[in-house]
Amino acid sequence: ARAQPKKKKKVDVKREQAQKERMKKKIRKLEKAAQEMIPIEDFVTPPKYLESNRVRSLPPLSSEETERRVLLMKKWSLYKQKQDEAEKKAIQTLIASQQAALKELRLESEELYQAAIKRDEGLFPFERDGPNYTPPLPDYDPPEGKCIDITKVYTQ
Amino acid sequence: DARVSCHRHYRSRPTHGIGKFKYLLPKEAPKKRKDRVQMKAVNVGTEHEYGDINIQMTSYDMCLVEHFAKHVHRLCNRLSIRVNESYAMPTKTNEVLFLEERGSKMQLDAVLTTHQRVVQICGLSSTFAPILLEIIQSNQPEGVDLLVKEHTEADFKIRLKTRPELEELLAQMS
């Protein structure tokens, strides 16, 4: 550490103040620059996929095959349409039954109705893991291991 | 610009300023700073609406999570729920190592990338919220985790880059 010779108090204070001013200026300059968002790696195509020699050459299809595919597509789209309509109908019935229940509740007691209308504080945060094709086995003994986070840290 | 063309319009002539239209357009506010404003609607009250809600979908499979986010966004559009924004969180990469049976060396098993998409909605009514959650859950694909929570400033700050020099200077100051 630098030895502080016994200089006069004024010079020390001045030097410290000058240092502080310089730091404040630096901070102000850094703060003025707009904050940048972390770039999303998903949206950046890796360069190896941009090569032009990646061409897929498919064999020509016979007419029966195209016919089969067109009919299959028609059946699939009809099936999906029915599924979508059923879902929309289900939503409508849900809403309608909810409204009917609230109407009845209102006729029963105004107080309970008002309490039911209020928003539920315990609803959020709501978490649910997606279903699995292969759920974890109960008697499985996994090998020892660890997980390292190698996400790239971006700094401004 | 009308005044640069060959037919000059003098200030005394009635044709002065002909062709100008920018003064008729609404003024665009200069968009420089990243907005840190979070609009919070009426939280409690007779309206019984929620503020900004984040629907976060996480998965190892990028296509699934993107398709699901698209589905949720279109669902909200169809149900006339206001969608503030729909963005992607930065991708996280994890290296999974496991210990070999006869050995002390860790072997690389896989490199997993975790993708997360967020759909931010606003103005959800308290009666409709459970219905929306039911619909989203019924369409949840396998391997996609759902998290619905209220939007906070911390959620926004995670998306920004860290500024170590600034933080160092601020630590030195105080």
Side-chain angles (χ1 to χ4, degrees), chain B residues 30-168:
Chain B
K31 198 184 101 169
K32 237 187 143 192
R33 295 186 153 244
K34 295 283 171 189
D35 56 334
R36 324 91 167 248
V37 182
Q38 329 146 53
M39 312 171 300
K40 276 234 156 175
V42 181
N43 283 341
V44 198
T46 49
E47 301 297 343
H48 306 289
E49 277 183 6
Y50 293 94
D52 288 345
I53 300 270
N54 276 358
I55 306 175
Q56 294 176 341
M57 295 152 276
T58 337
S59 174
Y60 295 118
D61 186 356
M62 179 162 77
C63 301
L64 263 186
V65 79
E66 286 214 340
H67 284 159
F68 189 44
K70 184 173 161 187
H71 172 77
V72 165
H73 197 310
R74 293 176 99 184
L75 185 79
C76 293
N77 284 349
R78 196 162 26 109
L79 300 169
S80 323
I81 300 174
R82 182 163 155 210
V83 175
N84 283 347
E85 40 177 359
S86 168
Y87 54 86
M89 294 289 278
T91 323
K92 298 197 186 134
T93 325
N94 279 318
E95 254 182 17
V96 182
L97 304 157
F98 71 94
L99 192 64
E100 280 180 61
E101 279 182 25
R102 279 162 212 187
S104 52
K105 194 176 152 196
M106 288 280 191
Q107 205 193 34
L108 182 68
D109 196 17
V111 178
L112 298 172
T113 50
T114 312
H115 308 265
Q116 191 178 56
R117 300 283 181 275
V118 179
V119 176
Q120 199 182 91
I121 54 177
C122 172
L124 187 67
S125 71
S126 55
T127 47
F128 193 67
I131 297 180
L132 181 71
L133 283 179
E134 271 297 317
I135 303 165
I136 296 179
Q137 273 182 85
S138 67
N139 285 320
Q140 201 176 347
E142 42 278 326
V144 176
D145 304 334
L146 182 73
L147 171 63
V148 187
K149 62 191 274 279
E150 288 165 347
H151 182 63
T152 55
E153 200 167 322
D155 290 324
F156 179 70
K157 292 245 161 84
I158 289 180
R159 296 168 72 193
L160 301 169
K161 286 188 190 172
T162 56
R163 296 190 283 192
E165 307 146 338
L166 184 65
E167 279 163 29
E168 211 182 283

Side-chain angles (χ1 to χ4, degrees), chain A residues 3-135:
Chain A
Q4 280 276 0
K6 278 190 186 149
K7 290 211 169 147
K8 290 184 190 163
K9 281 188 186 176
K10 277 187 194 170
V11 181
D12 273 349
V13 167
K14 260 194 188 174
R15 213 193 279 177
E16 266 184 46
Q17 273 183 346
Q19 262 187 343
K20 273 197 177 176
E21 279 296 303
R22 264 178 276 152
M23 286 223 296
K24 275 188 195 166
K25 263 195 174 174
K26 266 198 213 169
I27 289 176
R28 243 175 283 159
K29 214 179 171 188
L30 284 174
E31 274 184 347
K32 245 191 182 178
Q35 280 223 285
E36 290 170 28
M37 296 251 178
I38 302 178
I40 312 280
E41 288 157 15
D42 297 345
F43 300 154
V44 175
T45 337
K48 72 174 189 182
Y49 297 133
L50 293 169
E51 282 171 36
S52 54
N53 55 3
R54 290 170 60 96
V55 177
R56 191 186 291 189
S57 53
L58 295 165
L61 296 168
S62 61
S63 62
E64 296 107 11
E65 186 60 29
T66 42
E67 184 88 20
R68 189 189 78 97
R69 286 189 189 188
V70 162
L71 287 172
L72 189 65
M73 188 59 89
K74 282 179 175 268
K75 276 191 237 174
W76 174 249
S77 55
L78 188 72
Y79 169 75
K80 280 305 252 186
Q81 186 193 40
K82 291 270 176 333
Q83 201 186 48
D84 197 39
E85 269 173 43
E87 194 179 304
K88 284 186 186 156
K89 207 168 161 193
I91 299 173
Q92 295 304 318
T93 45
L94 266 177
I95 297 175
S97 54
Q98 197 189 40
Q99 291 300 319
L102 284 173
K103 213 189 246 180
E104 288 296 311
L105 183 64
R106 191 160 210 182
L107 293 173
E108 273 292 322
S109 111
E110 185 69 30
E111 219 177 80
L112 287 175
Y113 173 76
Q114 288 301 328
I117 289 274
K118 283 212 179 75
R119 55 180 254 171
D120 186 2
E121 300 299 334
L123 190 56
F124 302 123
F126 174 79
E127 204 172 338
R128 185 193 180 224
D129 288 343
N132 296 312
Y133 272 133
T134 52

